[in-house]
Structures are given as C-alpha cells and as structure tokens.
Amino acid sequence: MTSENSKDTQEPKEAIQIKCESCGGAMVYAPRVRKLECIYCGLTKELSLQPATIHENDYLKWLNESEDEHQNTEREHSVETQQIKCEQCGATVTVDETKSSTKCPYCGTPLILEQKQVRRFWKPEYLLPFAVDKKDCGTIFNKWLDGKWFLSSKYKHGNVLANNFQGVYYPYWTYDASTRTSYSGMKAVDTHVVRKGPDGKTYTTTQRNWYPVSGVIRRDFDDILVPASNNLNTSILAGLGNWQLRQLVTYSPEFTAGFTTDIYTVSFKEGAQVAQRIMDNVIERDIRNDIGGNAQKITGKHTSYNNVMFKHILLPLWVGAFKIEDKTFQFVINGYSGKVYGEYPKDKLKIALVVIAVIIILYLLFNILSNG
C-alpha cells in the first residue's frame, strides 16, 4: 500500500519545474486559457483536456496484499513531493517552487520554506483542472455575498475586500460498489374510521395496523466522494455542489504547477468506512421506499458489498477569507464551476424581524382555523 504512514524524510531535493522553451522561466497552469503559461514572457503550451478513460483500483486486492506485493505497488503508485506542515493549523501541503514565500491556504499563516521535506505519497490518478481564474474570484465572491439576505446591507455591493485567494487541489477518494441487502421489517397501514358520537356529530379517527414484511434491495453506487483531508469542514465541502467527474483528466504535474496540493491524511481504508456509511444511509431510504405504507420499521438488514473499487483524485478549490469587525470568515469557491460556500456574519436585527413575522403569521393562522 501507499506510504501514507511512513515517517521517513529526506533533505529537500530540487523540485521538478516546467521550464519555458522561450526564456527558460517557470511555467504555471493558467485557468483563464486552460494552458501552461510562462510567468515571465507569457508563452503558452497546450495541455490535453481530454476526459480520461477511468481505471479503478480493486479494494479487496489492495486490502489483502502481502508485504512484498505491498512494497511493489507502493513503488509503482507513489510519487515524491516536497511538502511542508503549517505550525498553526497542522495542514500538510506541497510547496509551490515558483514562489519565494507562501502562506497556509487554510489559516493564512506564513509557511517556513526552509522546513520543507521530501516524502513519498500515493500519486493522484486523476484530477479536475481549474477552470475559474484567480482574477474572477473577487467578482464571484461579492456576487455570492450580495445574495445573502441576512447579511447587513453595509457589507454588500463590494464593500467587503476578500483577499488571500489560494488555489488548492484538494484530495478525495472515490468508491464504487454493487450492493445487495436483505431486510425484514414492519409496514404501517392507516385506516380512517368515521363514527358518530353521543352528541350526534360525526368524528373521524385513524386506526394504524402493522404488518410484517421482508424483501431484497439491490443498489449500485458510483463515485461516492470522500474527502481525503480534514483541513476543511465537511459541511463546506458538501456545499460546493456536484462535481463534473466525467471531466476528470489523467493526473499530470503540469496541471498543478503554480498551485498548492493538499496531501491526503485519510487512508483509503478509512475513506472506505466513510463511504460505507454514506451507502448505508441510501440503502435505508431504499428499504423504507420498498416497504411503503404510512410508516415503516426496519427490524433487521444485511448488506453484501461486491466489486468494491476506488481511486485517488484531486479537485480544484479557491480558498479565501474576509474580515469584518476583527473576525475572519472562511469561504471556498469550486474551482471548476464557481459555486461558493462559506461563512458570513448575520444581521441580528434581520433575524429578529423574520422570527417576529413568522410568529405573527402563525398566530393569524391559528385564529383563522379556530374561528373556522
């Protein structure tokens, strides 16, 4: 398996740089043109954006490897990278050799480049290249902020300066599986009974009866996404919308030139446990839908997971922050679609007005229904 738990380090070596054929300067990936671009003379170089033919890894094969096989596959699937750990928040990221200084993309702490180390990590197999340019991040951010009704009006219309946008390739595992679940449970069927009371009025009551049920559910899962790093809150990552995984390209260091790559800290085995919980939640909904009725109880279930496959990918994020009244708020932009998710200060007066309005509406509805 991969050397994710290895503690061996070396003295930093010369990082592989992509040199400009014209002036010899460093080239970086430019989302604006989706090409490599020299930071000095502007020369561009085409890159293949052809969606990759995806080849998955057999989970059980990797899980059950012998020690010799483990070492062989480790050499085949790992890559040597220069990485540095933030002393403030603990994030581990790669070093961008085109910069003489850099900051942690998550907390903004200056990173000490002299502390970089060389380690081997599982090489990403595929990535989704950046399509949103850094120059567009400010406009995207302010449009997102203007759409927040609970934000105080004084902070809208470009009145908040967002800075420190950093492009980060964030690591993920994806999992596929074919599942078969046998279950047992109870189905509730409600019957409405109409009776006349002693006062001569008609009353309707609901009678609930429970019936035993059992069945089999089959469900195929494809590309269950599991973050391979804990540097961003899962709620923030979940808010970035669906990723266009059909546009994944084969991993190449040219796409990461000029960007930070977050090093995974969640192993493929730990990620599989998270993926299984996601699958289990979907399967439970499937069972309830299959039972039907007015209510359901699941008394037992057994799921077999077959053809479990996985892969390691990188997805593009612009990580930024803005400050209001000495408080910093973090937000993230989907580097492919431009969708934004993050934190922002909410106006307490606006919240109070909404609560009061809801109370008034409920009070009026109660009175209308009571009088009716």
Side-chain angles (χ1 to χ4, degrees):
M1 229 342 264
T2 175
S3 57
E4 58 209 359
N5 296 320
S6 171
K7 300 298 182 183
D8 296 335
T9 58
Q10 308 171 32
E11 287 299 316
K13 298 179 181 178
E14 180 69 21
I16 297 176
Q17 284 194 15
I18 302 151
K19 299 291 186 181
C20 175
E21 295 177 358
S22 176
C23 70
M27 301 190 80
V28 298
Y29 177 70
R32 175 175 42 83
V33 293
R34 308 201 78 186
K35 301 176 183 179
L36 279 177
E37 186 174 56
C38 178
I39 61 176
Y40 295 103
C41 71
L43 180 75
T44 60
K45 177 183 177 182
E46 296 283 347
L47 292 175
S48 175
L49 296 170
Q50 181 69 28
T53 301
I54 303 298
H55 299 283
E56 309 276 353
N57 303 297
D58 189 318
Y59 179 77
L60 289 180
K61 177 181 180 295
W62 283 76
L63 193 65
N64 299 323
E65 280 187 340
S66 66
E67 186 60 31
D68 289 341
E69 291 173 326
H70 176 101
Q71 292 177 358
N72 289 334
T73 51
E74 179 183 77
R75 286 191 293 270
E76 292 173 8
H77 291 267
S78 63
V79 63
E80 189 176 84
T81 61
Q82 296 198 60
Q83 56 98 56
I84 190 167
K85 184 174 182 179
C86 175
E87 295 183 347
Q88 180 66 29
C89 71
T92 301
V93 296
T94 58
V95 177
D96 179 3
E97 290 297 317
T98 66
K99 299 178 181 177
S100 58
S101 63
T102 188
K103 294 181 179 181
C104 174
Y106 303 110
C107 69
T109 301
L111 298 176
I112 304 173
L113 296 182
E114 289 74 16
Q115 294 182 353
K116 61 187 177 183
Q117 298 174 326
V118 172
R119 293 181 62 183
R120 297 196 71 84
F121 294 92
W122 185 319
K123 182 175 70 173
E125 294 155 298
Y126 307 97
L127 61 75
L128 190 61
F130 274 87
V132 175
D133 194 79
K134 184 175 183 177
K135 293 179 180 179
D136 299 324
C137 287
T139 302
I140 292 172
F141 162 74
N142 280 300
K143 185 177 179 180
W144 169 75
L145 209 57
D146 286 347
K148 300 303 176 184
W149 191 86
F150 284 115
L151 180 70
S152 175
S153 299
K154 66 180 179 181
Y155 298 130
K156 295 188 176 185
H157 310 299
N159 290 329
V160 176
L161 179 64
N163 52 29
N164 298 325
F165 289 104
Q166 292 206 48
V168 179
Y169 277 105
Y170 205 77
Y172 281 83
W173 301 108
T174 77
Y175 297 88
D176 304 341
S178 297
T179 65
R180 180 185 185 278
T181 304
S182 56
Y183 71 87
S184 59
M186 301 290 289
K187 175 170 70 173
V189 177
D190 294 344
T191 303
H192 302 293
V193 180
V194 180
R195 294 188 180 94
K196 277 191 175 182
D199 55 0
K201 292 184 178 180
T202 300
Y203 295 91
T204 301
T205 60
T206 301
Q207 183 177 7
R208 172 164 290 185
N209 297 305
W210 289 93
Y211 302 94
V213 293
S214 61
V216 174
I217 292 293
R218 289 178 173 84
R219 162 77 76 160
D220 291 334
F221 292 93
D222 182 45
D223 285 340
I224 298 296
L225 271 177
V226 177
S229 170
N230 295 316
N231 289 326
L232 286 173
N233 191 291
T234 53
S235 64
I236 290 180
L237 295 172
L240 292 175
N242 296 324
W243 293 93
Q244 300 298 318
L245 298 185
R246 293 186 182 276
Q247 301 303 314
L248 288 172
V249 302
T250 301
Y251 170 80
S252 171
E254 281 87 351
F255 287 107
T256 65
F259 293 91
T260 297
T261 301
D262 195 327
I263 301 297
Y264 66 88
T265 54
V266 176
S267 72
F268 82 103
K269 290 180 285 187
E270 294 169 330
Q273 295 172 2
V274 177
Q276 183 175 329
R277 290 196 292 270
I278 295 172
M279 294 178 193
D280 285 346
N281 289 335
V282 175
I283 291 170
E284 182 171 326
R285 290 198 296 270
D286 287 346
I287 293 174
R288 294 187 182 279
N289 289 335
D290 195 55
I291 292 175
N294 299 105
Q296 308 82 31
K297 292 180 181 178
I298 301 173
T299 56
K301 65 184 177 72
H302 177 267
T303 301
S304 58
Y305 300 86
N306 303 305
N307 302 319
V308 181
M309 311 294 283
F310 74 102
K311 62 181 176 290
H312 179 31
I313 67 173
L314 299 176
L315 298 180
L317 303 177
W318 286 108
V319 181
F322 63 98
K323 184 175 287 188
I324 291 179
E325 297 174 357
D326 297 326
K327 185 174 181 180
T328 300
F329 298 87
Q330 186 182 59
F331 66 96
V332 177
I333 299 176
N334 182 319
Y336 189 82
S337 69
K339 184 176 176 61
V340 187
Y341 191 87
E343 306 167 332
Y344 66 95
K346 298 175 177 61
D347 190 316
K348 294 180 180 179
L349 177 59
K350 286 186 176 182
I351 294 174
L353 290 174
V354 169
V355 171
I356 292 170
V358 169
I359 292 173
I360 292 173
I361 292 171
L362 291 175
Y363 174 76
L364 292 173
L365 286 173
F366 176 77
N367 282 318
I368 292 171
L369 293 174
S370 298
N371 292 333

mmCIF file of all heavy atoms in Angstrom, residues 9 13 42 110 144 148 151 155 172 177 247 255 281 310 317:
data_model
loop_
_atom_site.group_PDB
_atom_site.id
_atom_site.type_symbol
_atom_site.label_atom_id
_atom_site.label_comp_id
_atom_site.label_asym_id
_atom_site.label_seq_id
_atom_site.Cartn_x
_atom_site.Cartn_y
_atom_site.Cartn_z
ATOM 1 N N THR A 9 11.892 10.796 6.126
ATOM 2 C CA THR A 9 12.044 12.051 5.392
ATOM 3 C C THR A 9 13.461 12.149 4.871
ATOM 4 O O THR A 9 14.374 11.451 5.315
ATOM 5 C CB THR A 9 11.750 13.260 6.295
ATOM 6 O OG1 THR A 9 12.643 13.220 7.415
ATOM 7 C CG2 THR A 9 10.319 13.223 6.795
ATOM 8 N N LYS A 13 15.037 17.888 -2.215
ATOM 9 C CA LYS A 13 15.719 17.825 -3.491
ATOM 10 C C LYS A 13 15.211 18.936 -4.394
ATOM 11 O O LYS A 13 14.245 19.628 -4.086
ATOM 12 C CB LYS A 13 15.465 16.463 -4.156
ATOM 13 C CG LYS A 13 15.999 15.283 -3.344
ATOM 14 C CD LYS A 13 15.682 13.992 -4.056
ATOM 15 C CE LYS A 13 16.183 12.787 -3.265
ATOM 16 N NZ LYS A 13 15.842 11.514 -3.935
ATOM 17 N N GLY A 42 5.034 35.004 -20.995
ATOM 18 C CA GLY A 42 3.654 34.783 -21.409
ATOM 19 C C GLY A 42 3.454 33.687 -22.438
ATOM 20 O O GLY A 42 2.329 33.463 -22.897
ATOM 21 N N PRO A 110 2.130 32.398 7.533
ATOM 22 C CA PRO A 110 3.285 32.249 6.638
ATOM 23 C C PRO A 110 3.983 30.914 6.884
ATOM 24 O O PRO A 110 4.201 30.512 8.024
ATOM 25 C CB PRO A 110 4.186 33.432 7.029
ATOM 26 C CG PRO A 110 3.250 34.440 7.612
ATOM 27 C CD PRO A 110 2.202 33.638 8.333
ATOM 28 N N TRP A 144 -21.834 36.425 -4.593
ATOM 29 C CA TRP A 144 -22.347 35.473 -3.591
ATOM 30 C C TRP A 144 -22.771 36.209 -2.321
ATOM 31 O O TRP A 144 -23.846 35.966 -1.770
ATOM 32 C CB TRP A 144 -21.267 34.448 -3.276
ATOM 33 C CG TRP A 144 -21.537 33.572 -2.089
ATOM 34 C CD1 TRP A 144 -22.410 32.522 -2.022
ATOM 35 C CD2 TRP A 144 -20.937 33.666 -0.795
ATOM 36 N NE1 TRP A 144 -22.381 31.947 -0.764
ATOM 37 C CE2 TRP A 144 -21.492 32.624 0.013
ATOM 38 C CE3 TRP A 144 -19.976 34.499 -0.232
ATOM 39 C CZ2 TRP A 144 -21.109 32.430 1.340
ATOM 40 C CZ3 TRP A 144 -19.602 34.299 1.082
ATOM 41 C CH2 TRP A 144 -20.169 33.283 1.855
ATOM 42 N N LYS A 148 -26.877 37.208 0.023
ATOM 43 C CA LYS A 148 -27.183 36.764 1.387
ATOM 44 C C LYS A 148 -28.076 37.799 2.073
ATOM 45 O O LYS A 148 -27.615 38.869 2.461
ATOM 46 C CB LYS A 148 -25.887 36.557 2.187
ATOM 47 C CG LYS A 148 -24.959 35.508 1.585
ATOM 48 C CD LYS A 148 -25.645 34.165 1.435
ATOM 49 C CE LYS A 148 -24.782 33.137 0.746
ATOM 50 N NZ LYS A 148 -25.481 31.864 0.519
ATOM 51 N N LEU A 151 -27.220 39.128 5.595
ATOM 52 C CA LEU A 151 -26.025 39.952 5.739
ATOM 53 C C LEU A 151 -26.421 41.418 5.801
ATOM 54 O O LEU A 151 -27.299 41.879 5.053
ATOM 55 C CB LEU A 151 -25.086 39.724 4.551
ATOM 56 C CG LEU A 151 -23.779 40.528 4.557
ATOM 57 C CD1 LEU A 151 -22.844 40.020 5.643
ATOM 58 C CD2 LEU A 151 -23.097 40.446 3.193
ATOM 59 N N TYR A 155 -22.403 45.757 4.237
ATOM 60 C CA TYR A 155 -21.310 44.894 3.790
ATOM 61 C C TYR A 155 -21.519 44.387 2.369
ATOM 62 O O TYR A 155 -20.747 43.556 1.882
ATOM 63 C CB TYR A 155 -21.152 43.699 4.734
ATOM 64 C CG TYR A 155 -20.808 44.082 6.149
ATOM 65 C CD1 TYR A 155 -21.528 43.569 7.223
ATOM 66 C CD2 TYR A 155 -19.773 44.974 6.416
ATOM 67 C CE1 TYR A 155 -21.221 43.927 8.525
ATOM 68 C CE2 TYR A 155 -19.461 45.337 7.713
ATOM 69 C CZ TYR A 155 -20.197 44.815 8.762
ATOM 70 O OH TYR A 155 -19.892 45.174 10.056
ATOM 71 N N TYR A 172 -9.314 13.625 -2.689
ATOM 72 C CA TYR A 172 -10.515 12.826 -2.444
ATOM 73 C C TYR A 172 -10.234 11.368 -2.796
ATOM 74 O O TYR A 172 -9.372 11.062 -3.630
ATOM 75 C CB TYR A 172 -11.682 13.296 -3.311
ATOM 76 C CG TYR A 172 -12.404 14.524 -2.824
ATOM 77 C CD1 TYR A 172 -11.907 15.798 -3.107
ATOM 78 C CD2 TYR A 172 -13.595 14.436 -2.111
ATOM 79 C CE1 TYR A 172 -12.589 16.940 -2.682
ATOM 80 C CE2 TYR A 172 -14.272 15.573 -1.692
ATOM 81 C CZ TYR A 172 -13.761 16.818 -1.978
ATOM 82 O OH TYR A 172 -14.428 17.935 -1.556
ATOM 83 N N ALA A 177 -19.434 0.427 -5.706
ATOM 84 C CA ALA A 177 -19.807 -0.868 -5.135
ATOM 85 C C ALA A 177 -21.153 -1.312 -5.682
ATOM 86 O O ALA A 177 -22.020 -0.480 -5.999
ATOM 87 C CB ALA A 177 -19.858 -0.808 -3.612
ATOM 88 N N GLN A 247 -15.401 14.886 -16.366
ATOM 89 C CA GLN A 247 -14.373 15.724 -16.998
ATOM 90 C C GLN A 247 -12.991 15.513 -16.384
ATOM 91 O O GLN A 247 -12.063 16.281 -16.674
ATOM 92 C CB GLN A 247 -14.774 17.197 -16.894
ATOM 93 C CG GLN A 247 -16.102 17.536 -17.549
ATOM 94 C CD GLN A 247 -16.141 17.152 -19.017
ATOM 95 O OE1 GLN A 247 -15.200 17.435 -19.767
ATOM 96 N NE2 GLN A 247 -17.225 16.503 -19.439
ATOM 97 N N PHE A 255 -0.659 20.320 -14.532
ATOM 98 C CA PHE A 255 -1.904 20.951 -14.074
ATOM 99 C C PHE A 255 -1.767 21.545 -12.670
ATOM 100 O O PHE A 255 -2.519 22.442 -12.297
ATOM 101 C CB PHE A 255 -3.044 19.937 -14.089
ATOM 102 C CG PHE A 255 -3.539 19.593 -15.464
ATOM 103 C CD1 PHE A 255 -3.244 18.355 -16.029
ATOM 104 C CD2 PHE A 255 -4.282 20.490 -16.198
ATOM 105 C CE1 PHE A 255 -3.701 18.027 -17.303
ATOM 106 C CE2 PHE A 255 -4.743 20.184 -17.475
ATOM 107 C CZ PHE A 255 -4.442 18.944 -18.027
ATOM 108 N N ASN A 281 -26.863 4.803 4.406
ATOM 109 C CA ASN A 281 -27.976 5.764 4.520
ATOM 110 C C ASN A 281 -28.885 5.705 3.293
ATOM 111 O O ASN A 281 -30.116 5.793 3.412
ATOM 112 C CB ASN A 281 -27.425 7.178 4.693
ATOM 113 C CG ASN A 281 -26.790 7.399 6.048
ATOM 114 O OD1 ASN A 281 -27.115 6.720 7.011
ATOM 115 N ND2 ASN A 281 -25.869 8.344 6.134
ATOM 116 N N PHE A 310 -11.973 1.718 -6.053
ATOM 117 C CA PHE A 310 -11.676 3.068 -5.562
ATOM 118 C C PHE A 310 -10.579 3.697 -6.410
ATOM 119 O O PHE A 310 -9.869 3.017 -7.159
ATOM 120 C CB PHE A 310 -11.262 3.029 -4.089
ATOM 121 C CG PHE A 310 -9.867 2.495 -3.855
ATOM 122 C CD1 PHE A 310 -8.810 3.357 -3.584
ATOM 123 C CD2 PHE A 310 -9.597 1.126 -3.917
ATOM 124 C CE1 PHE A 310 -7.519 2.871 -3.373
ATOM 125 C CE2 PHE A 310 -8.325 0.632 -3.703
ATOM 126 C CZ PHE A 310 -7.281 1.500 -3.434
ATOM 127 N N LEU A 317 -10.026 23.912 -5.701
ATOM 128 C CA LEU A 317 -10.702 24.849 -4.806
ATOM 129 C C LEU A 317 -9.931 26.162 -4.753
ATOM 130 O O LEU A 317 -8.698 26.174 -4.733
ATOM 131 C CB LEU A 317 -10.778 24.287 -3.374
ATOM 132 C CG LEU A 317 -11.454 22.945 -3.135
ATOM 133 C CD1 LEU A 317 -11.326 22.576 -1.658
ATOM 134 C CD2 LEU A 317 -12.902 23.003 -3.539
#
